Amino acid sequence: MAVKKYILLYSGMLYKNMRESTSYKLDFAVGVFAHLIIQISSLFCTIIVYNNVDTLGGFDFGECLILLGCYLLPMGIEEFFLHNVWSISKHVHSGSLDGYLTKPANTLFLLVVDGTNIHGFILTICGIIYLIFGFINTNIYVGCWKVIWLVICVISGAFIIFSITVFMETLSFWFTEVTNATVMIDSLRQLVRYPITIFHPFLQKFLIFVVPYAYTSFFSATLLFDLDKYMCYTYATPFVAMVMVMGAKKFFAFGLKNYSSPCGS
Amino acid sequence: MKNLQKDFYVNESKEMGVKGILENLIKKNRKKVKAVKNLSFEIAEGEIVGFLGPNGAGKSTTIKMMTGILTPTRGEVKVCGVIPYQKRQQNAKNIGVVFGHRTQLWWDLPVKDSFLLLKKIYEIDDLTYKKNLSYFMELLDMESFIERPIRQLSLGQRMRCDLAAAFLHNPSIVYLDEPTIGLDITSKKKIREFICEVNKERKSTIVLTTHDMSDIEQLATRVIVIANGDMIYDGTIEQLRRQYQNERVLTFSLKEDINKYLDLREWKHKVTVNYTNDKLVIRMPVNTPIKQMIDWVTSQYVVKDIKIDETSIEDIIEEVYKQCGNQYISM
Ligand SMILES: Nc1ncnc2c1ncn2[C@@H]1O[C@H](COP(=O)(O)OP(=O)(O)O)[C@@H](O)[C@H]1O
Ligand SMILES: [Mg+2]
């Protein structure tokens, strides 16, 4: 019953988001074009870097392309489907959170799905392209089982990114403006576009256990490479995601008690 | 609703210029503000209650606690048996909200689509939705702009859409925070008629705040006056009038300049008289009958015209605010 309601609601919101983002035709076209240029130039950079080194942390060019694909996919899905999580602090600051609080659906859900970023769509496409190029450059066997786990890992990864952002943005209930802190933590995610084996063990532990961004790219890639050493982390990914989402939800509800809607609104 | 209280922490900056910027970064200058102190009241089903009070009195804060947006610092709120801030979703089904300063609808979306989305959010069944929509469209005259996005509507049109949106799911209680702010007379009238009609038809309870006394006069069956977070009056508007309205003013225009003083011994010291050329102004308490006075004056002078003024509701409210302002200063 509840699930059905949320699915219906989500489809409605998605339709609304698409309508909104296409209501300014020029801006939409420029946005798509700009994102394409960004991705193409970053692809060239990557090719140049990997042309100058043979292996990075024990992974060759083809494997690194796959890693990049694994990095882009959850990021793209998060940006496309759950992008509005980034505006929690904006809504807290301006008081537009009031509107979500007086609707009969989960506040966090309503807020998060109320907006989309076309960028996410382009990132997802690029991620798939990276994966295909990676598979061409390596000779890895990909069976049904791996595809299923890849999908699970990608979705879990998107939810991990989402939860960490919720944690950071929820701090705005106490400090009002926290976007810079969120950006800071999120920039840690830049690290996991490279194999985490190149980092100091301390940083590796940090990315696995404290701010678990390692689950959003590296452990889905190692699944494809048949690296048994990391298999337990791969299988842990959906559970990490579930725990993170529940924690984020609790933390958000806790922060809400401290919400002081600005006056004059 | 019992002993409701809410404290806020506010940031105050005393320094100006560069010093102010530095101070912002370094010092923590928080100060406790009691926005709502100990409010208690109950609202019955079907009532239209008007909240009155000067700016910053705590009206919006009270409404936000009743809608579940804010968690009270102390005290308890219950709306239809639900504690709003604990069971937000359950509470939200029963209520409708309009904040005059900000639309609840989606900025870039045609009004029609906004309504459809609300239908999904509130899980309104098709029949109710269709019925309500056509009913509200007619009452509020929305036909001409229903396909346009909110962004391109005038304030009056926008407010009508917000109002319709708030009533779409047949809520049992609707909160309207300054629904007539910044509107012209005709828009105000339309909105008042709508509120009145829906209240009668649907038996919805309505809580509204406004600074427009005619809203209150035409709609509210009960007024609650709040100042500095305290309740200072709760009752009907007639009672309020009786309580604060102490005199009526009679102005007589005479045919000739006044040549003799009026003998008012019969009224003892209850009335005051003011003579200027051909005008005679008498102030008398509300509870003394004026017929007798008029008869008496017309028997003494040749009267051209008579004007009777009652203290207007605006004057009364101003008087009430003034009185609580004095209390505040003496505190
Ligand atoms: N978010 C907030 N932070 C700090 N102070 C607030 C906040 N909201 C309201 N206040 C204070 O509470 C008091 C009541 O405000 P409000 O309820 O908006 O008054 P009004 O009766 O005009 O609607 C004001 O003094 C205001 O400064
Ligand atoms: Mg207000």
Side-chain angles (χ1 to χ4, degrees), chain B residues 37-56:
Chain B
K37 314 167 200 162
N38 241 338
L39 277 187
S40 302
F41 55 84
E42 253 174 55
I43 294 173
E45 213 182 310
E47 268 188 310
I48 301 186
V49 180
F51 272 19
L52 288 178
N55 288 126

Side-chain angles (χ1 to χ4, degrees), chain A residues 134-154:
Chain A
F135 288 130
I136 293 172
N137 276 295
T138 50
N139 40 14
I140 290 170
Y141 167 75
V142 186
C144 193
W145 179 245
K146 275 191 185 173
V147 172
I148 291 171
W149 265 99
L150 184 65
V151 171
I152 292 174
C153 283
V154 165

